[in-house]
Amino acid sequence: MIANLIGSLKPTISLFIIFTVFSANAAIKSVDLVYDKTSVYKGSSPAFSIKVTKTNGKVFNSTDQFTKYPCLDFTYKVSKEITFVGPSKQYFNLKIPNDYKEDNITLEMKLSYASSNRVYKFKIPIYNAVDQVKSLHLYIDRDSIFNDEPLPYKIYADLNKDEGIEIQNRKIFFDDIQLSVIKGGRYDPIQARIIPKRTNICDSLLIVRVALKTRPEIFTDEVFTIHKSPQNLSFSGTNGNNGENGNSPYQGRNGMNGRNGANGDDIVFFLKLGLHPCTGDSVLVLENERNGVQFKPLYFALNHGKIILDANGGNGGHGGTGHDGAYGRNGGSGIGIGGNGGDGGDGGDGGNGGDGGNGCFVKVVYTPATEKYVAQIIVNVKGGNGGKAGRYGRYGKKGLAGSGTQGNGVMGRDGYNGRDGESGRDGQEGKVEFIAYSDYMKSDIK
C-alpha cells in the first residue's frame, strides 16, 4: 500500500520541481548589470555584478554573502572582439581592446537552469572621456625651467561631474591631445619633452598650449618663466677622462691610461662699466675673448665683493685598475697519476695617470673708471692635478694537484701581481696680468 502511494507521488514531485524552477524564473521582474559606467573604456577590463529584482519587490545581488543568483548561474554571449573573463560567483569582466571600433558592447545573458527561453539583453555604452572634458591643465616643475634643458610634464583633465584624471593613455590617450609651444622653445615629440629656448640672458617666457584634437575649443595656454642659468665663472681646461679598468683575466687585463687634462686657453678680460640688460642697473661688465672669439659677457653688481674666476689647467684622468689574474684549475683525480694543477694567471698592470694641463695665461684689461674694482678680481690659474696611478691586478692562485692511485700530479704555480701604474704629473701654473687699457693698446701682442 505504501509502495503504491510512493509510486503515485513520483509524477507529482517532478511536476512540483519543474513548476518551482519555472515559477522562480517567471517571478523575476528584471535583471540588471551593476558597474561603474566610467570604467568601460577602450583598453579597460571593467567588472560587472548582477542585480535580480523579483515581482514581489525583493532584490538579490550577486555580491550578497549568500547570493541566490550568482554570476555562475548565467550563460553569456558578448560582442565580437570583446573577451569575456570569468565568471566568479560575484563578478565577471569584459576585456575591451584598445582599437575597439564600436560605441557600445552587446551582451546577452540567460539563466542556465531556467525552463523558459527568456534572454536578457544589454547594450553597454563605451565611455568616451574626451567628450566629458571641461578643462585641461599642464604641470611642469617651475623651478626646473632653464634654457635648453628638456622638461618632463604631466597633463590633467577635469571632466563633468567633478571627475579629474591624469592623462596616462587610459581613459584619455596622449593621441587625443595636441601640445604645441607658442613661445620660448619647441616640442620634441620623440622624447615627449618640452625644450625651452631663451633668446637672451634675461628671464623670458615659455608659453605652451594643450588642446583636445577633436574639440580644439577646449584648450589652455600655460605661461612659465625660463630662468637664466647661473653665470659660468670657470674657464679652466677640461679634465682628462679616466682610463678603463682591465676587463678580463685573459684578454685586455691591463688598466688603460688616464687621458691628459687640457691646457687652459689664453684669455683676455675687459673690465668695463655698463648697464645690466635685464634690470638696467649699473654693473661691472667682464667681456672675455679666447683665441680671438668673443664669448658672453659676465655681469656683477658694483658691490658684489670678490669676483673669483677659475682658469686652471684640466686635471689628468686616473689610470684604470688592472684585472685580477684567473685562478688555476685543480688537477683531476682518479685512477693512475693525478692531474697537474693549473698555473694561476698574472694580474694586469694598472694604467698610468694622465698629466694635468697647464693653467691659463690671463690678461685683465681695465679702464681708469674701473681701476678701483681691480682688487675685487681673483683669478685662479693653477696647473691641473696629475691623475692617480691605476692599481695593479692581484695574482691568480695556483691550482692544486690531483690525486691518483699511482701518484699525485704536480701543483701549479701562483701567478704574479701586476704592477702599479705611474701617477701623472701636475700641470704648470699659469699667469695673471692686470694691464691698463692704454698700455694694452700699445702692446705688440694682444
Side-chain angles (χ1 to χ4, degrees), residues 15-79:
L15 288 171
F16 175 76
I17 293 172
I18 294 172
F19 176 77
T20 301
V21 172
F22 178 78
S23 299
N25 185 46
I28 294 176
K29 179 181 179 181
S30 63
V31 174
D32 298 295
L33 297 178
V34 180
Y35 63 98
D36 178 3
K37 294 180 180 179
T38 66
S39 69
V40 185
Y41 55 88
K42 297 175 184 179
S44 68
S45 298
F48 297 81
S49 63
I50 297 173
K51 182 178 77 171
V52 176
T53 304
K54 304 297 288 283
T55 54
N56 61 6
K58 290 186 177 180
V59 176
F60 300 92
N61 292 292
S62 61
T63 54
D64 294 339
Q65 185 175 4
F66 302 105
T67 179
K68 188 174 181 180
Y69 294 96
C71 295
L72 293 166
D73 283 359
F74 291 80
T75 57
Y76 303 86
K77 182 179 178 182
V78 68
S79 301

Side-chain angles (χ1 to χ4, degrees), residues 265-445:
D265 295 327
D266 292 345
I267 307 174
V268 180
F269 290 103
F270 296 93
L271 183 60
K272 300 179 179 180
L273 292 176
L275 298 178
H276 195 283
C278 306
T279 63
D281 297 336
S282 295
V283 290
L284 282 173
V285 182
L286 264 180
E287 295 178 351
N288 62 94
E289 182 181 294
R290 282 167 279 172
N291 298 323
V293 179
Q294 291 280 349
F295 288 83
K296 291 181 179 180
L298 305 176
Y299 299 93
F300 303 93
L302 297 179
N303 59 353
H304 185 275
K306 297 297 183 184
I307 299 172
I308 300 175
L309 307 174
D310 289 324
N312 306 308
N315 295 324
H318 303 314
T321 299
H323 202 286
D324 294 338
Y327 281 25
R329 294 182 178 180
N330 295 330
S333 300
I335 299 173
I337 302 296
N340 297 330
D343 294 336
D346 296 334
D349 296 336
N352 298 327
D355 294 336
N358 298 329
C360 302
F361 178 29
V362 177
K363 288 184 178 181
V364 181
V365 181
Y366 59 88
T367 64
T370 58
E371 184 175 4
K372 64 179 180 180
Y373 299 104
V374 167
Q376 295 179 218
I377 300 175
I378 298 173
V379 185
N380 296 319
V381 289
K382 296 182 294 185
N385 297 322
K388 295 180 181 178
R391 182 181 60 80
Y392 66 84
R394 293 168 293 190
Y395 69 89
K397 292 185 178 180
K398 59 193 173 188
L400 302 177
S403 59
T405 57
Q406 299 178 23
N408 298 330
V410 178
M411 184 179 296
R413 67 166 183 82
D414 287 333
Y416 295 98
N417 286 332
R419 66 167 183 81
D420 284 335
E422 297 181 358
S423 298
R425 65 165 182 80
D426 292 339
Q428 298 179 0
E429 187 170 357
K431 181 181 178 182
V432 182
E433 181 178 303
F434 292 89
I435 182 172
Y437 183 76
S438 56
D439 293 335
Y440 173 77
M441 295 302 295
K442 294 175 184 177
S443 63
D444 294 331
I445 301 176

Side-chain angles (χ1 to χ4, degrees), residues 38 127-137 156-167 171-172 212 215:
T38 66
Y127 181 71
N128 187 352
V130 174
D131 292 341
Q132 310 298 320
V133 173
K134 294 190 299 184
S135 60
L136 295 168
H137 306 279
Y156 296 89
D158 290 332
L159 310 184
N160 293 325
K161 299 182 180 178
D162 299 323
E163 181 187 5
I165 61 171
E166 180 184 348
I167 295 174
K171 289 185 179 180
I172 299 178
L212 289 179
R215 299 164 61 204

Side-chain angles (χ1 to χ4, degrees), residues 35-178:
Y35 63 98
D36 178 3
K37 294 180 180 179
T38 66
S39 69
V40 185
Y41 55 88
K42 297 175 184 179
S44 68
S45 298
F48 297 81
S49 63
I50 297 173
K51 182 178 77 171
V52 176
T53 304
K54 304 297 288 283
T55 54
N56 61 6
K58 290 186 177 180
V59 176
F60 300 92
N61 292 292
S62 61
T63 54
D64 294 339
Q65 185 175 4
F66 302 105
T67 179
K68 188 174 181 180
Y69 294 96
C71 295
L72 293 166
D73 283 359
F74 291 80
T75 57
Y76 303 86
K77 182 179 178 182
V78 68
S79 301
K80 293 180 180 179
E81 301 180 32
I82 303 296
T83 303
F84 185 88
V85 182
S88 67
K89 183 182 292 187
Q90 296 178 317
Y91 296 100
F92 64 87
N93 294 79
L94 299 179
K95 188 174 181 180
I96 309 169
N98 286 324
D99 57 354
Y100 188 64
K101 305 298 183 185
E102 304 298 328
D103 295 331
N104 52 64
I105 299 169
T106 301
L107 176 68
E108 296 181 3
M109 296 168 45
K110 181 181 178 182
L111 274 172
S112 302
Y113 55 78
S115 60
S116 72
N117 292 322
R118 187 173 181 184
V119 176
Y120 303 95
K121 297 182 179 181
F122 302 92
K123 277 196 176 295
I124 305 168
I126 297 294
Y127 181 71
N128 187 352
V130 174
D131 292 341
Q132 310 298 320
V133 173
K134 294 190 299 184
S135 60
L136 295 168
H137 306 279
L138 175 69
Y139 171 78
I140 296 175
D141 182 1
R142 292 181 179 272
D143 294 330
S144 64
I145 304 176
F146 291 93
N147 190 40
D148 288 329
E149 295 186 12
L151 297 171
Y153 60 87
K154 294 180 179 179
I155 300 174
Y156 296 89
D158 290 332
L159 310 184
N160 293 325
K161 299 182 180 178
D162 299 323
E163 181 187 5
I165 61 171
E166 180 184 348
I167 295 174
Q168 299 175 309
N169 274 348
R170 296 181 63 186
K171 289 185 179 180
I172 299 178
F173 289 78
F174 287 114
D175 284 346
D176 296 322
I177 301 296
Q178 179 69 50

